[in-house]
Amino acid sequence: MAKCFYCRNQAVTFRPYSGEYLCSSCFLKSVERKVQRTINKYSLLEETDIVAVAVSGGKDSLTLLTILNKLEQRFNETKLTAVTIDEGIKNYREESLKFAESVTSELKIPHKVYSFKKLFGYDFDEVIETLREYGFDKSSPCSYCGLLRRVALNIAAKDAGATKLATAHNLDDESQTVIMNFLRADYIRALRTGPKLEKIHPGFIPRVKPLIEIPEREIILYAYFSKLPLHSQTCPYAQDAFRNDVRAFLNKMELTRPEVKYNILHINNRLRSVYMNLEAQLSLNACIECGEPTSQELCKKCQLLKILNQIKAGTHKT
Ligand code: SF4
Ligand code: ZN
Ligand code: ZN
């Protein structure tokens, strides 16, 4: 491998989209600088923010927490707090919960775990088992899980008194989501995808994605060089065929066009900025059942729980 572009030490990695060779120490600093630039470019965080960081215990969220903790030391007034959602998935979540616990305690960041069971009355295993028994398998498990987790994170962030909720979506996640929105012709989701989702309802904690310009491969390297624990278990429900197809397509495109994922991000940001009345387009109400922000009368989480409760009680009619 060639010499590091910055310090001339032995390089350990190469960035195809910029042509840089980097040693491990310059690589770590460069990822941190890039996250800081993303925060500045999209005005993701203010100095007085209380930031709830969504920490699942996987490589992305531990990397996000580590970098924000380093950057926070430059802004004395920003406060970090970590929130973890335990979906209740056997033989999967246990290991990452331990990692979330150990890294937050090492960094001395307050940490609280919220479970689906406590918040909604069901473990995720139970949700899927009940839906499957009843023949509901039209959507992939990830769409139910994502729906419940979004609500759980908003509740957790409010509970922590946070002014922002930071999630660890990276460049690969985001570019895949943009393409999926286009392929589904999902206009509302397309408007909601981006580095920042503003306060579109008094009960909604604005969401920010500081890792949105960091490729997944660099997050794996960052976690490795920073000696962060790496989660080895795979979720038994991870079978989102649509996302897998889009991922494979983009990874293949990237081999000959290294900037393709960045281009997707940029075009999506440009398209979103065309909608000057974005907030009006996304205006939300409070759910009549639970009070969480929703575009309908009864939020999707409450609709799902209603069906689950009816199935359990034997009163559900198709
Ligand atoms: Fe939830 Fe799907 Fe992730 Fe499993 S893979 S934790 S079901 S979103
Ligand atoms: Zn170097
Ligand atoms: Zn509701």
Side-chain angles (χ1 to χ4, degrees):
M1 181 85 65
K3 301 275 184 214
C4 172
F5 180 81
Y6 294 98
C7 71
R8 312 306 298 159
N9 281 336
Q10 185 67 36
V12 292
T13 185
F14 173 67
R15 274 191 178 134
Y17 58 87
S18 65
E20 291 164 295
Y21 285 93
L22 296 151
C23 71
S24 58
S25 144
C26 292
F27 169 78
L28 290 174
K29 282 187 217 138
S30 116
V31 172
E32 288 154 14
R33 276 199 305 273
K34 223 166 153 189
V35 173
Q36 180 69 70
R37 275 204 303 274
T38 304
I39 292 172
N40 297 344
K41 180 158 73 168
Y42 301 111
S43 307
L44 299 188
L45 301 176
E46 314 285 329
E47 286 193 19
T48 50
D49 268 328
I50 298 170
V51 186
V53 185
V55 178
S56 67
K59 63 181 185 339
D60 301 85
S61 63
L62 295 180
T63 295
L64 174 65
L65 191 69
T66 304
I67 295 177
L68 288 183
N69 185 54
K70 285 189 184 173
L71 299 179
E72 183 212 11
Q73 289 159 8
R74 298 181 210 157
F75 301 99
N76 334 341
E77 289 182 57
T78 312
K79 292 211 166 42
L80 293 184
T81 180
V83 294
T84 299
I85 306 303
D86 177 5
E87 300 90 345
I89 301 175
K90 274 208 190 67
N91 305 321
Y92 171 60
R93 215 11 116 210
E94 296 86 349
E95 185 186 42
S96 56
L97 278 172
K98 259 191 256 155
F99 293 163
E101 205 55 68
S102 70
V103 174
T104 50
S105 89
E106 197 176 312
L107 298 177
K108 297 188 175 54
I109 294 174
H111 177 223
K112 206 162 162 190
V113 180
Y114 295 78
S115 69
F116 278 7
K117 182 79 178 176
K118 271 213 172 131
L119 291 172
F120 309 130
Y122 294 92
D123 280 334
F124 192 61
D125 284 333
E126 224 177 326
V127 171
I128 292 303
E129 198 185 317
T130 310
L131 291 176
R132 279 184 178 158
E133 259 172 35
Y134 209 78
F136 270 86
D137 50 7
K138 292 175 205 117
S139 299
S140 85
C142 294
S143 59
Y144 295 116
C145 182
L147 153 68
L148 294 174
R149 199 176 39 227
R150 275 193 296 279
V151 178
L153 280 173
N154 199 53
I155 294 172
K158 276 194 281 189
D159 194 36
T163 52
K164 297 273 167 61
L165 169 64
T167 60
H169 295 86
N170 62 42
L171 176 68
D172 291 64
D173 300 327
E174 194 72 4
S175 54
Q176 289 156 17
T177 303
V178 170
I179 297 298
M180 289 163 73
N181 290 336
F182 272 73
L183 296 178
R184 286 191 186 115
D186 192 333
Y187 164 79
I188 294 292
R189 278 207 211 171
L191 289 178
R192 285 185 183 155
T193 304
K196 185 180 187 183
L197 189 51
E198 301 284 357
K199 196 168 185 74
I200 47 180
H201 181 272
F204 180 82
I205 305 299
R207 298 190 170 199
V208 294
K209 300 175 185 168
L211 300 186
I212 200 172
E213 298 198 348
I214 311 290
E216 179 159 29
R217 179 184 162 273
E218 295 194 14
I219 289 179
I220 296 170
L221 274 183
Y222 188 96
Y224 176 74
F225 291 140
S226 305
K227 302 191 170 49
L228 292 172
L230 283 178
H231 189 201
S232 59
Q233 289 165 320
T234 309
C235 175
Y237 305 113
Q239 44 169 261
D240 189 338
F242 189 24
R243 184 172 286 274
N244 289 343
D245 287 348
V246 172
R247 179 187 293 118
F249 167 71
L250 291 180
N251 287 346
K252 187 171 173 218
M253 294 291 289
E254 196 183 32
L255 294 176
T256 47
R257 299 167 184 83
E259 69 297 340
V260 71
K261 292 173 185 167
Y262 284 102
N263 289 346
I264 293 169
L265 215 67
H266 293 152
I267 189 68
N268 193 57
N269 287 340
R270 291 299 296 271
L271 288 175
R272 286 175 76 246
S273 71
V274 169
Y275 291 89
M276 300 304 284
N277 57 348
L278 180 66
E279 290 191 22
Q281 305 257 0
L282 296 175
S283 68
L284 301 176
N285 329 299
C287 167
I288 50 166
E289 192 67 44
C290 71
E292 282 296 301
T294 174
S295 55
Q296 295 156 325
E297 272 205 339
L298 187 66
C299 76
K300 284 195 176 152
K301 178 266 293 176
C302 286
Q303 291 176 28
L304 175 62
L305 292 181
K306 195 171 162 189
I307 292 173
L308 289 167
N309 293 340
Q310 287 172 345
I311 292 175
K312 289 270 177 194
T315 57
H316 184 73
K317 295 187 194 85
T318 40

PDB file of all heavy atoms in Angstrom, residues 120-141:
ATOM      1  N   PHE A 120     -45.153  -0.986  24.636  1.00  0.00           N
ATOM      2  CA  PHE A 120     -46.317  -1.345  23.795  1.00  0.00           C
ATOM      3  C   PHE A 120     -47.042  -2.615  24.263  1.00  0.00           C
ATOM      4  O   PHE A 120     -48.065  -2.987  23.688  1.00  0.00           O
ATOM      5  CB  PHE A 120     -45.874  -1.548  22.330  1.00  0.00           C
ATOM      6  CG  PHE A 120     -45.059  -0.401  21.773  1.00  0.00           C
ATOM      7  CD1 PHE A 120     -43.853  -0.627  21.130  1.00  0.00           C
ATOM      8  CD2 PHE A 120     -45.498   0.906  21.909  1.00  0.00           C
ATOM      9  CE1 PHE A 120     -43.107   0.427  20.622  1.00  0.00           C
ATOM     10  CE2 PHE A 120     -44.756   1.969  21.406  1.00  0.00           C
ATOM     11  CZ  PHE A 120     -43.558   1.727  20.756  1.00  0.00           C
ATOM     12  N   GLY A 121     -46.458  -3.327  25.219  1.00  0.00           N
ATOM     13  CA  GLY A 121     -47.105  -4.542  25.728  1.00  0.00           C
ATOM     14  C   GLY A 121     -46.712  -5.818  25.006  1.00  0.00           C
ATOM     15  O   GLY A 121     -47.177  -6.898  25.358  1.00  0.00           O
ATOM     16  N   TYR A 122     -45.886  -5.710  23.961  1.00  0.00           N
ATOM     17  CA  TYR A 122     -45.473  -6.903  23.201  1.00  0.00           C
ATOM     18  C   TYR A 122     -43.975  -6.859  22.911  1.00  0.00           C
ATOM     19  O   TYR A 122     -43.451  -5.809  22.527  1.00  0.00           O
ATOM     20  CB  TYR A 122     -46.159  -6.944  21.820  1.00  0.00           C
ATOM     21  CG  TYR A 122     -47.647  -7.119  21.867  1.00  0.00           C
ATOM     22  CD1 TYR A 122     -48.495  -6.013  21.874  1.00  0.00           C
ATOM     23  CD2 TYR A 122     -48.213  -8.386  21.871  1.00  0.00           C
ATOM     24  CE1 TYR A 122     -49.874  -6.164  21.904  1.00  0.00           C
ATOM     25  CE2 TYR A 122     -49.591  -8.546  21.889  1.00  0.00           C
ATOM     26  CZ  TYR A 122     -50.413  -7.441  21.917  1.00  0.00           C
ATOM     27  OH  TYR A 122     -51.783  -7.596  21.939  1.00  0.00           O
ATOM     28  N   ASP A 123     -43.291  -8.004  23.056  1.00  0.00           N
ATOM     29  CA  ASP A 123     -41.956  -8.168  22.483  1.00  0.00           C
ATOM     30  C   ASP A 123     -42.122  -8.242  20.976  1.00  0.00           C
ATOM     31  O   ASP A 123     -43.172  -8.670  20.497  1.00  0.00           O
ATOM     32  CB  ASP A 123     -41.350  -9.520  22.914  1.00  0.00           C
ATOM     33  CG  ASP A 123     -40.781  -9.437  24.305  1.00  0.00           C
ATOM     34  OD1 ASP A 123     -40.414  -8.339  24.725  1.00  0.00           O
ATOM     35  OD2 ASP A 123     -40.696 -10.504  24.957  1.00  0.00           O
ATOM     36  N   PHE A 124     -41.039  -7.928  20.235  1.00  0.00           N
ATOM     37  CA  PHE A 124     -41.179  -8.004  18.778  1.00  0.00           C
ATOM     38  C   PHE A 124     -41.403  -9.446  18.322  1.00  0.00           C
ATOM     39  O   PHE A 124     -42.156  -9.692  17.378  1.00  0.00           O
ATOM     40  CB  PHE A 124     -39.966  -7.382  18.073  1.00  0.00           C
ATOM     41  CG  PHE A 124     -40.206  -7.191  16.613  1.00  0.00           C
ATOM     42  CD1 PHE A 124     -41.222  -6.370  16.168  1.00  0.00           C
ATOM     43  CD2 PHE A 124     -39.452  -7.874  15.671  1.00  0.00           C
ATOM     44  CE1 PHE A 124     -41.486  -6.206  14.818  1.00  0.00           C
ATOM     45  CE2 PHE A 124     -39.705  -7.718  14.316  1.00  0.00           C
ATOM     46  CZ  PHE A 124     -40.720  -6.879  13.887  1.00  0.00           C
ATOM     47  N   ASP A 125     -40.767 -10.408  19.008  1.00  0.00           N
ATOM     48  CA  ASP A 125     -40.985 -11.820  18.660  1.00  0.00           C
ATOM     49  C   ASP A 125     -42.483 -12.154  18.726  1.00  0.00           C
ATOM     50  O   ASP A 125     -43.019 -12.853  17.871  1.00  0.00           O
ATOM     51  CB  ASP A 125     -40.235 -12.730  19.650  1.00  0.00           C
ATOM     52  CG  ASP A 125     -38.727 -12.763  19.368  1.00  0.00           C
ATOM     53  OD1 ASP A 125     -38.337 -12.556  18.213  1.00  0.00           O
ATOM     54  OD2 ASP A 125     -37.953 -12.980  20.321  1.00  0.00           O
ATOM     55  N   GLU A 126     -43.138 -11.614  19.766  1.00  0.00           N
ATOM     56  CA  GLU A 126     -44.569 -11.873  19.971  1.00  0.00           C
ATOM     57  C   GLU A 126     -45.400 -11.187  18.873  1.00  0.00           C
ATOM     58  O   GLU A 126     -46.394 -11.746  18.403  1.00  0.00           O
ATOM     59  CB  GLU A 126     -44.929 -11.253  21.319  1.00  0.00           C
ATOM     60  CG  GLU A 126     -45.784 -12.082  22.216  1.00  0.00           C
ATOM     61  CD  GLU A 126     -45.988 -11.363  23.534  1.00  0.00           C
ATOM     62  OE1 GLU A 126     -45.063 -10.648  24.017  1.00  0.00           O
ATOM     63  OE2 GLU A 126     -47.099 -11.503  24.076  1.00  0.00           O
ATOM     64  N   VAL A 127     -44.988  -9.977  18.488  1.00  0.00           N
ATOM     65  CA  VAL A 127     -45.705  -9.253  17.427  1.00  0.00           C
ATOM     66  C   VAL A 127     -45.714 -10.103  16.159  1.00  0.00           C
ATOM     67  O   VAL A 127     -46.764 -10.364  15.558  1.00  0.00           O
ATOM     68  CB  VAL A 127     -45.020  -7.885  17.118  1.00  0.00           C
ATOM     69  CG1 VAL A 127     -45.626  -7.227  15.872  1.00  0.00           C
ATOM     70  CG2 VAL A 127     -45.112  -6.945  18.313  1.00  0.00           C
ATOM     71  N   ILE A 128     -44.520 -10.580  15.775  1.00  0.00           N
ATOM     72  CA  ILE A 128     -44.405 -11.322  14.513  1.00  0.00           C
ATOM     73  C   ILE A 128     -45.128 -12.674  14.599  1.00  0.00           C
ATOM     74  O   ILE A 128     -45.837 -13.073  13.686  1.00  0.00           O
ATOM     75  CB  ILE A 128     -42.906 -11.491  14.133  1.00  0.00           C
ATOM     76  CG1 ILE A 128     -42.331 -10.118  13.776  1.00  0.00           C
ATOM     77  CG2 ILE A 128     -42.704 -12.457  12.976  1.00  0.00           C
ATOM     78  CD1 ILE A 128     -43.053  -9.390  12.648  1.00  0.00           C
ATOM     79  N   GLU A 129     -44.947 -13.330  15.750  1.00  0.00           N
ATOM     80  CA  GLU A 129     -45.613 -14.634  15.928  1.00  0.00           C
ATOM     81  C   GLU A 129     -47.130 -14.479  15.801  1.00  0.00           C
ATOM     82  O   GLU A 129     -47.801 -15.239  15.093  1.00  0.00           O
ATOM     83  CB  GLU A 129     -45.259 -15.146  17.321  1.00  0.00           C
ATOM     84  CG  GLU A 129     -45.489 -16.624  17.525  1.00  0.00           C
ATOM     85  CD  GLU A 129     -45.217 -16.981  18.987  1.00  0.00           C
ATOM     86  OE1 GLU A 129     -44.211 -16.478  19.550  1.00  0.00           O
ATOM     87  OE2 GLU A 129     -46.028 -17.719  19.542  1.00  0.00           O
ATOM     88  N   THR A 130     -47.678 -13.448  16.441  1.00  0.00           N
ATOM     89  CA  THR A 130     -49.131 -13.227  16.409  1.00  0.00           C
ATOM     90  C   THR A 130     -49.595 -12.899  14.989  1.00  0.00           C
ATOM     91  O   THR A 130     -50.595 -13.438  14.502  1.00  0.00           O
ATOM     92  CB  THR A 130     -49.500 -12.067  17.369  1.00  0.00           C
ATOM     93  OG1 THR A 130     -48.892 -12.318  18.617  1.00  0.00           O
ATOM     94  CG2 THR A 130     -50.995 -11.923  17.531  1.00  0.00           C
ATOM     95  N   LEU A 131     -48.832 -12.004  14.318  1.00  0.00           N
ATOM     96  CA  LEU A 131     -49.237 -11.624  12.958  1.00  0.00           C
ATOM     97  C   LEU A 131     -49.150 -12.823  12.017  1.00  0.00           C
ATOM     98  O   LEU A 131     -50.017 -13.022  11.159  1.00  0.00           O
ATOM     99  CB  LEU A 131     -48.358 -10.482  12.440  1.00  0.00           C
ATOM    100  CG  LEU A 131     -48.543  -9.117  13.128  1.00  0.00           C
ATOM    101  CD1 LEU A 131     -47.549  -8.105  12.597  1.00  0.00           C
ATOM    102  CD2 LEU A 131     -49.969  -8.585  12.937  1.00  0.00           C
ATOM    103  N   ARG A 132     -48.099 -13.631  12.194  1.00  0.00           N
ATOM    104  CA  ARG A 132     -47.922 -14.787  11.295  1.00  0.00           C
ATOM    105  C   ARG A 132     -49.014 -15.824  11.509  1.00  0.00           C
ATOM    106  O   ARG A 132     -49.556 -16.372  10.554  1.00  0.00           O
ATOM    107  CB  ARG A 132     -46.540 -15.416  11.497  1.00  0.00           C
ATOM    108  CG  ARG A 132     -45.491 -14.636  10.726  1.00  0.00           C
ATOM    109  CD  ARG A 132     -44.130 -15.273  10.811  1.00  0.00           C
ATOM    110  NE  ARG A 132     -43.177 -14.503  10.023  1.00  0.00           N
ATOM    111  CZ  ARG A 132     -41.878 -14.527  10.195  1.00  0.00           C
ATOM    112  NH1 ARG A 132     -41.347 -15.289  11.133  1.00  0.00           N
ATOM    113  NH2 ARG A 132     -41.091 -13.800   9.436  1.00  0.00           N
ATOM    114  N   GLU A 133     -49.329 -16.073  12.792  1.00  0.00           N
ATOM    115  CA  GLU A 133     -50.388 -17.045  13.101  1.00  0.00           C
ATOM    116  C   GLU A 133     -51.674 -16.654  12.396  1.00  0.00           C
ATOM    117  O   GLU A 133     -52.463 -17.474  11.967  1.00  0.00           O
ATOM    118  CB  GLU A 133     -50.677 -17.011  14.608  1.00  0.00           C
ATOM    119  CG  GLU A 133     -50.034 -18.136  15.377  1.00  0.00           C
ATOM    120  CD  GLU A 133     -50.215 -17.906  16.867  1.00  0.00           C
ATOM    121  OE1 GLU A 133     -51.261 -17.388  17.285  1.00  0.00           O
ATOM    122  OE2 GLU A 133     -49.266 -18.250  17.611  1.00  0.00           O
ATOM    123  N   TYR A 134     -51.868 -15.353  12.299  1.00  0.00           N
ATOM    124  CA  TYR A 134     -53.114 -14.871  11.722  1.00  0.00           C
ATOM    125  C   TYR A 134     -53.007 -14.640  10.217  1.00  0.00           C
ATOM    126  O   TYR A 134     -53.914 -14.112   9.588  1.00  0.00           O
ATOM    127  CB  TYR A 134     -53.516 -13.570  12.440  1.00  0.00           C
ATOM    128  CG  TYR A 134     -55.004 -13.395  12.452  1.00  0.00           C
ATOM    129  CD1 TYR A 134     -55.784 -14.113  13.355  1.00  0.00           C
ATOM    130  CD2 TYR A 134     -55.628 -12.551  11.550  1.00  0.00           C
ATOM    131  CE1 TYR A 134     -57.148 -13.991  13.354  1.00  0.00           C
ATOM    132  CE2 TYR A 134     -57.010 -12.421  11.539  1.00  0.00           C
ATOM    133  CZ  TYR A 134     -57.762 -13.143  12.446  1.00  0.00           C
ATOM    134  OH  TYR A 134     -59.114 -13.015  12.435  1.00  0.00           O
ATOM    135  N   GLY A 135     -51.879 -15.015   9.658  1.00  0.00           N
ATOM    136  CA  GLY A 135     -51.719 -14.899   8.204  1.00  0.00           C
ATOM    137  C   GLY A 135     -51.366 -13.512   7.708  1.00  0.00           C
ATOM    138  O   GLY A 135     -51.498 -13.205   6.533  1.00  0.00           O
ATOM    139  N   PHE A 136     -50.912 -12.628   8.612  1.00  0.00           N
ATOM    140  CA  PHE A 136     -50.471 -11.295   8.200  1.00  0.00           C
ATOM    141  C   PHE A 136     -49.006 -11.354   7.852  1.00  0.00           C
ATOM    142  O   PHE A 136     -48.160 -11.271   8.730  1.00  0.00           O
ATOM    143  CB  PHE A 136     -50.561 -10.320   9.385  1.00  0.00           C
ATOM    144  CG  PHE A 136     -51.858  -9.612   9.503  1.00  0.00           C
ATOM    145  CD1 PHE A 136     -52.910 -10.206  10.179  1.00  0.00           C
ATOM    146  CD2 PHE A 136     -52.024  -8.341   8.990  1.00  0.00           C
ATOM    147  CE1 PHE A 136     -54.113  -9.554  10.316  1.00  0.00           C
ATOM    148  CE2 PHE A 136     -53.226  -7.689   9.136  1.00  0.00           C
ATOM    149  CZ  PHE A 136     -54.280  -8.294   9.793  1.00  0.00           C
ATOM    150  N   ASP A 137     -48.622 -11.574   6.613  1.00  0.00           N
ATOM    151  CA  ASP A 137     -47.194 -11.450   6.358  1.00  0.00           C
ATOM    152  C   ASP A 137     -46.973 -10.694   5.063  1.00  0.00           C
ATOM    153  O   ASP A 137     -46.101 -10.975   4.284  1.00  0.00           O
ATOM    154  CB  ASP A 137     -46.464 -12.803   6.385  1.00  0.00           C
ATOM    155  CG  ASP A 137     -47.173 -13.814   5.514  1.00  0.00           C
ATOM    156  OD1 ASP A 137     -48.121 -13.418   4.824  1.00  0.00           O
ATOM    157  OD2 ASP A 137     -46.768 -14.992   5.523  1.00  0.00           O
ATOM    158  N   LYS A 138     -47.828  -9.680   4.890  1.00  0.00           N
ATOM    159  CA  LYS A 138     -47.743  -8.894   3.653  1.00  0.00           C
ATOM    160  C   LYS A 138     -46.508  -8.001   3.656  1.00  0.00           C
ATOM    161  O   LYS A 138     -45.852  -7.831   2.645  1.00  0.00           O
ATOM    162  CB  LYS A 138     -49.011  -8.055   3.477  1.00  0.00           C
ATOM    163  CG  LYS A 138     -50.234  -8.928   3.210  1.00  0.00           C
ATOM    164  CD  LYS A 138     -51.498  -8.088   3.163  1.00  0.00           C
ATOM    165  CE  LYS A 138     -52.719  -8.916   3.513  1.00  0.00           C
ATOM    166  NZ  LYS A 138     -53.410  -8.499   4.711  1.00  0.00           N
ATOM    167  N   SER A 139     -46.203  -7.423   4.807  1.00  0.00           N
ATOM    168  CA  SER A 139     -45.019  -6.555   4.881  1.00  0.00           C
ATOM    169  C   SER A 139     -43.880  -7.337   5.504  1.00  0.00           C
ATOM    170  O   SER A 139     -44.097  -8.305   6.221  1.00  0.00           O
ATOM    171  CB  SER A 139     -45.293  -5.356   5.773  1.00  0.00           C
ATOM    172  OG  SER A 139     -46.345  -4.605   5.259  1.00  0.00           O
ATOM    173  N   SER A 140     -42.630  -6.876   5.267  1.00  0.00           N
ATOM    174  CA  SER A 140     -41.510  -7.579   5.882  1.00  0.00           C
ATOM    175  C   SER A 140     -41.475  -7.214   7.367  1.00  0.00           C
ATOM    176  O   SER A 140     -41.931  -6.135   7.758  1.00  0.00           O
ATOM    177  CB  SER A 140     -40.214  -7.178   5.194  1.00  0.00           C
ATOM    178  OG  SER A 140     -39.732  -5.993   5.773  1.00  0.00           O
ATOM    179  N   PRO A 141     -40.932  -8.118   8.216  1.00  0.00           N
ATOM    180  CA  PRO A 141     -40.868  -7.815   9.651  1.00  0.00           C
ATOM    181  C   PRO A 141     -40.195  -6.472   9.923  1.00  0.00           C
ATOM    182  O   PRO A 141     -40.581  -5.750  10.832  1.00  0.00           O
ATOM    183  CB  PRO A 141     -40.027  -8.968  10.208  1.00  0.00           C
ATOM    184  CG  PRO A 141     -40.227 -10.088   9.253  1.00  0.00           C
ATOM    185  CD  PRO A 141     -40.416  -9.452   7.910  1.00  0.00           C
TER     186      PRO A 141
END
